[in-house]
Amino acid sequence: MAIAMAKLSEMVKADGGPPSTFEGDRDQQARFAPFWNEGSPEIEKVIPLSIEGAHGPLKARLYKNAAGHLPVTLFMHGGGFVRGSLDHCDCICRRMAAEGKLAVIATEYSLAPEHPYPAALEDIVNVLDWLFASAGDHDLDASRVSVTGGSAGATLALTSTLWRRDAGKKLPVGMALFYGGYDITNTGRESYRLFGNGQFGMSKARVEHYIHALVPEGTSPSDPYLAPLHADLRSLPPIWMGIAELDVLRDDQLEMAHRLEAAGVLVDVQRYEGLIHGFANRVRLVPRADDAIRTASRFLANLKARDI
């Protein structure tokens, strides 16, 4: 992990330093993506898709490494709701699909500040509608659709499932959540005190910067589809959680795991000591990240169809 952090710091310095705008941040991330994706597994099929979101067409990709009627997971990238792309998560999606037991569809979604909350959530709800209706067109099992993602993508996986539950819509069979953010008010937890200065990448200031960009004025900080620690968590499908030790959001995630268990949800909590927020995107240099991705993929591939 330390080697990966040093490499990223070196890349940022060589690129002229940290960007000062969201557009610059996205552009820099795009320039770095080829390095982090290098060495990813070859996949039999990587098919570009276009899916109609709530705010226009969204680019997506289907990763499938075996013939047959596979279960499928919808992957949402991270990036604080302000950045991230299909290329940004390519190294993760290829590894999730590599064993040929699970297909992956990665999708973009509307980004803040141009498209503040709830635009991204509305997009993912629409994408899930499309996936349930269209899975068979791609030889995917519509009865075994799951959701997954990292950071903001993990938050979207959970909040879109909560929204669908409350709307009486069909639910995914389960979730795999890498280091999500589940509250927007309590930045006073112990993990913020320990790691909030940013020595391990994600800082308290950056979290607050992202929240400011995402959340419109007047929005309730306890909105359950924005801050799911404030939600009723009952009747959710099984959840795998990958929690990094050195993450300002760590204690949000541990509290979420506790509340899910108290609500009767089946939760598989995996703690990754010595790793940082966003570790899955550094998988090229972090072997334990590869282990985590494959563990999450197997969890999703083994989920059974739900009784509706």
Side-chain angles (χ1 to χ4, degrees), residues 175-204:
M175 298 174 244
L177 310 179
F178 291 86
Y179 36 78
Y182 305 123
D183 200 1
I184 65 167
T185 56
N186 191 352
T187 56
R189 292 185 173 92
E190 178 73 359
S191 54
Y192 276 97
R193 186 186 68 77
L194 292 172
F195 313 125
N197 65 4
Q199 74 269 43
F200 297 115
M202 182 64 73
S203 66
K204 177 180 177 180

Side-chain angles (χ1 to χ4, degrees), residues 223-274:
D223 182 329
Y225 309 125
L226 176 66
L229 268 174
H230 300 276
D232 176 354
L233 300 171
R234 290 173 292 180
S235 303
L236 292 178
I239 299 175
W240 178 95
M241 298 181 72
I243 301 176
E245 177 192 10
L246 309 175
D247 183 2
V248 292
L249 301 179
R250 181 195 67 192
D251 292 352
D252 284 25
Q253 296 158 44
L254 292 173
E255 185 175 343
M256 175 59 75
H258 175 74
R259 292 193 184 184
L260 286 165
E261 290 171 346
V265 180
L266 177 63
V267 186
D268 180 355
V269 177
Q270 299 292 323
R271 300 184 65 168
Y272 293 94
E273 306 304 315

Side-chain angles (χ1 to χ4, degrees), residues 118-132:
L121 173 62
E122 293 167 341
D123 278 341
I124 298 307
V125 169
N126 275 30
V127 172
L128 278 166
D129 283 339
W130 172 88
L131 182 49
F132 281 119

